[in-house]
Amino acid sequence: MAATIAEKIFSMKCGRTVRAGDVVMAPVDAAMIHDITGPLAVRVFGEMGGKRVYDPDRIIMLFDHQVPADSIPAAENHVFMRRFAEEQGIRNYDLLEGVCHQVVMEKGRAAPGEIIVGTDSHTCTYGAAGAFATGIGSTDMGFVLKFGALYFRVPESILLEIDGAFGRRVGPKDLILSLVGDIGADGATYTALEFTGGAMHDMDMAGRMTCANMAIEMGAKAGIVRPDETTRDYVAARRGVEPLDLAGDADADYRERRHYDVTDLSPQVAVPHNVDNVVDVADVAGTKVDQVFIGSCTNGRYEDLAEAAGVLGTADRFADGVRVIVIPASRTEYLKALRAGLVERFVEAGALVEAPCCGPCMGGAFGLLAPGEVSLSTSNRNFRGRQGSTQASVYLASPATAAASALYGEITDPREV
Ligand SMILES: CC(C)[C@H](C(=O)O)[C@@H](O)C(=O)O
Ligand code: SF4
């Protein structure tokens, strides 16, 4: 019987044929908790009478939102979580490795066919590895810590066939922003997006992670990139085993099939204050920016930094008056950027390069905006107040557009640099 990837994954995990709409109790392959939402999950686990977690090897803990601790309560949360990890024998990456989603992926903790949950909405990022991965609340996570399983309604799927070849300085972030603009912030609510097509399969893992990461910005429960050779190589290199082959069937019951061609796509920008307010860069070119942030789980990988550095080229300095903050998504990505000389280039050009963390993405730890200020950010959300004052404005774009805008002090089409 024909099935979507999501239906196949739930059928495999439940040991019987299930279809979209079925409510199932499914085992969870891995569960991720971080410094912000982890403490509540741990408390709920205790309130449920939890003594030992179901399997410490399946739990991934790390701190990334408020690191190094930016307040005494944050430091206390860290201590609380460290103790729990020690008691339970959970591997705690602490604040040493980077942003949660990048760390889960690069440690090979996500693979095709797995069900992964995390107490963070961008857990959908691991769909880049062919997993069914979704963000859950801390209360649900308390249950997962105890029982290793969770109730799910198997979602309907939307097939996204992406073809064509990106033009110069246009890439995965422009694609996903255009999809969010087209589908809308609630256009895919509780569906699994299944990404396939030539342009997806030509994309490296970094680009696929950028796309899967923003599935939640359309309301999707998960965003799964059909696994292929690129997925296999990435996962096999990290796990030492051949991952599962998995594809949706041509005659599966998709709620919708959408086709896109990226060939003529221009750089895209999400304008304040919603992620689905997406326009061509030309429509906002010339808008003055006070801060440019290159980083986050959406675009803080080596490939993103290289794209930005490519636009910077041999220019001496970023524009006067623009604060450029660059944050590699993990220690691994930071080291790659260091070894390739990218960090040196950014610093020479006047950027602040910070250690891996969420940084200004959520307006948490640092890099906040004052009323009236404008930020151009490679992250995934531009809601009012997201990066500081509710009177500030956040534009979202690709690393190439961010670098071009940092060079000129105003939103700039990277193809013109
Ligand atoms: C802190 C966390 C709950 C939150 C999320 O779930 O996404 C954050 O990571 C974000 O990006 O807004
Ligand atoms: S980088 Fe931003 S979007 Fe990603 S987990 Fe951190 S706060 Fe959330």
Side-chain angles (χ1 to χ4, degrees), residues 281-295:
V281 67
D283 295 349
V284 283
T287 307
K288 207 186 144 313
V289 295
D290 299 294
Q291 179 165 296
V292 171
F293 168 44
I294 303 176

Side-chain angles (χ1 to χ4, degrees), residues 173-185 214 217-218 265-284 380 382 395-397:
K173 182 62 168 294
D174 302 299
L175 165 65
I176 195 65
L177 285 174
S178 77
L179 293 178
V180 176
D182 192 47
I183 294 173
M214 290 189 72
E217 308 312 331
M218 292 167 267
L265 186 68
S266 1
Q268 302 288 293
V269 180
V271 307
H273 298 280
N274 283 308
V275 190
D276 59 354
N277 270 346
V278 177
V279 299
D280 284 348
V281 67
D283 295 349
V284 283
N380 48 37
N382 61 349
Y395 292 76
L396 305 175

